[in-house]
Amino acid sequence: MAAPVDLELKKAFTELQAKVIDTQQKVKLADIQIEQLTKTKKHAHLTDTEVMMLVDETRMYEGVGRMFILQSKGVIHNQLLEKQRIAEEKIKELE
């Protein structure tokens, strides 16, 4: 009678170990994504800080594919703020 219980217990333990490994992999992936998003957010913040120091008449270009489009300082500033906001939302979602 002890053998069937042991087999069921062993099967349950094996399934639990598989779930633990799966969960650990998901947590590791989430940590990597959070790290990348933090870098993106910091890069956008530093870029925005430098852009805001420039005079308003400075010509600024946005990279689109293999070309550059002339944009105003306000548009570039808004894009960088949006990039930071999106990264922050995704970080909160992953946490």
Side-chain angles (χ1 to χ4, degrees):
M1 185 82 182
V5 175
D6 288 342
L7 291 176
E8 290 176 17
L9 192 60
K10 186 175 181 179
K11 182 179 176 185
F13 184 71
T14 305
E15 289 173 3
L16 188 60
Q17 279 183 322
K19 286 181 183 179
V20 167
I21 291 170
D22 185 48
T23 303
Q24 286 175 340
Q25 288 175 344
K26 287 179 182 178
V27 167
K28 194 179 289 186
L29 179 64
D31 287 342
I32 291 169
Q33 289 174 337
I34 288 171
E35 185 179 326
Q36 288 292 353
L37 289 167
T38 304
K39 286 180 184 179
T40 300
K41 180 182 164 191
K42 187 174 184 179
H43 183 267
H45 175 71
L46 292 172
T47 304
D48 187 45
T49 303
E50 292 297 319
V51 165
M52 294 312 292
M53 284 194 251
L54 300 172
V55 294
D56 289 338
E57 293 78 32
T58 304
R59 297 174 66 116
M60 296 185 190
Y61 296 89
E62 173 189 5
V64 180
R66 291 172 43 182
M67 66 179 181
F68 296 94
I69 299 175
L70 181 63
Q71 296 285 7
S72 67
K73 180 179 174 180
V75 171
I76 299 293
H77 174 68
N78 289 336
Q79 288 176 348
L80 290 169
L81 289 178
E82 182 69 14
K83 196 176 206 180
Q84 291 177 51
R85 186 187 62 77
I86 290 171
E88 185 65 36
E89 286 177 3
K90 288 182 180 178
I91 288 171
K92 287 180 182 177
E93 189 177 298
L94 287 170
E95 287 176 341

